[in-house]
Amino acid sequence: MLLQGKKAIITGGTRGIGFSVAEVFLKNGASVALFGSRQETVDKALAQLKAENPAWEVIGMAPDLTDYAALDAAFSEVENRFGRIDILVNNAGISAREPLYEYTPEAFQRIMDLNVTAVFNGCRAAAIRMKAQGGGSIINIASESAIRPLSRVAGYGVAKAAVVNFTKY
């Protein structure tokens, strides 16, 4: 098993790409903490995974990824449960399909907060722990729209371009 004994956090892990990553990690021996936007979606994802294999070690929570203190507390909870954090997958993100002239400053800021600030927060919380334990891996999920902009998703493309550039550091 490729990930036997590894301990992972996956943001946006309750559906789509994040849920699929969680499934693959679990099938390959990892313990997984799913972070979702609402506890109801976290509970539903946990139930699906436990129905597939009750022996999988999977937990879930719904911290505010844009609030560093809240996210750091969630990382501490995972660390207390699993003993360490070996892998972070920053997958959470949102988009809005509106032309630029209809984007509100508040909607644009929300996209930046969840798609960029949350990535920074997760990377920082993970990096502090990984440095102390001697290593780990951080995977940031971006999008093709980071390098090839799509119409009507300007904020999303800008945010994912920031993730690509941040990841290079």
Side-chain angles (χ1 to χ4, degrees):
M1 293 190 158
L2 295 173
L3 298 171
Q4 190 65 45
K6 298 297 183 183
K7 314 302 183 181
I9 293 175
I10 303 170
T11 70
T14 61
R15 60 183 177 267
I17 292 169
F19 185 83
S20 295
V21 169
E23 248 182 332
V24 169
F25 278 27
L26 290 162
K27 287 177 182 176
N28 281 280
S31 300
V32 173
L34 301 177
F35 286 6
S37 58
R38 294 181 319 278
Q39 194 60 49
E40 307 86 68
T41 59
V42 170
D43 293 342
K44 181 179 175 186
L46 290 173
Q48 283 180 262
L49 292 168
K50 284 296 198 177
E52 187 171 343
N53 186 336
W56 282 342
E57 185 174 22
V58 58
I59 61 173
M61 55 193 74
D64 180 351
L65 304 178
T66 67
D67 176 343
Y68 182 78
L71 186 59
D72 190 55
F75 271 64
S76 291
E77 189 174 332
V78 172
E79 193 173 36
N80 289 337
R81 173 74 183 268
F82 289 164
R84 61 187 287 124
I85 299 167
D86 299 300
I87 303 166
L88 168 64
V89 179
N90 270 318
N91 174 66
I94 58 170
S95 183
R97 291 184 115 4
E98 299 171 334
L100 181 59
Y101 56 84
E102 290 181 11
Y103 259 84
T104 65
E106 297 79 17
F108 185 81
Q109 187 61 56
R110 177 74 181 132
I111 289 168
M112 293 297 117
D113 287 345
L114 190 56
N115 293 344
V116 180
T117 302
V119 168
F120 167 80
N121 289 344
C123 286
R124 183 173 191 275
I128 289 168
R129 289 162 173 84
M130 290 174 182
K131 183 177 188 295
Q133 70 193 21
S137 297
I138 298 173
I139 302 163
N140 294 326
I141 305 295
S143 168
E144 180 183 12
S145 68
I147 54 174
R148 192 173 64 171
L150 305 171
S151 64
R152 302 178 60 93
V153 290
Y156 182 76
V158 167
K160 292 303 183 173
V163 169
V164 168
N165 282 320
F166 178 72
T167 302
K168 293 176 181 180
Y169 291 100

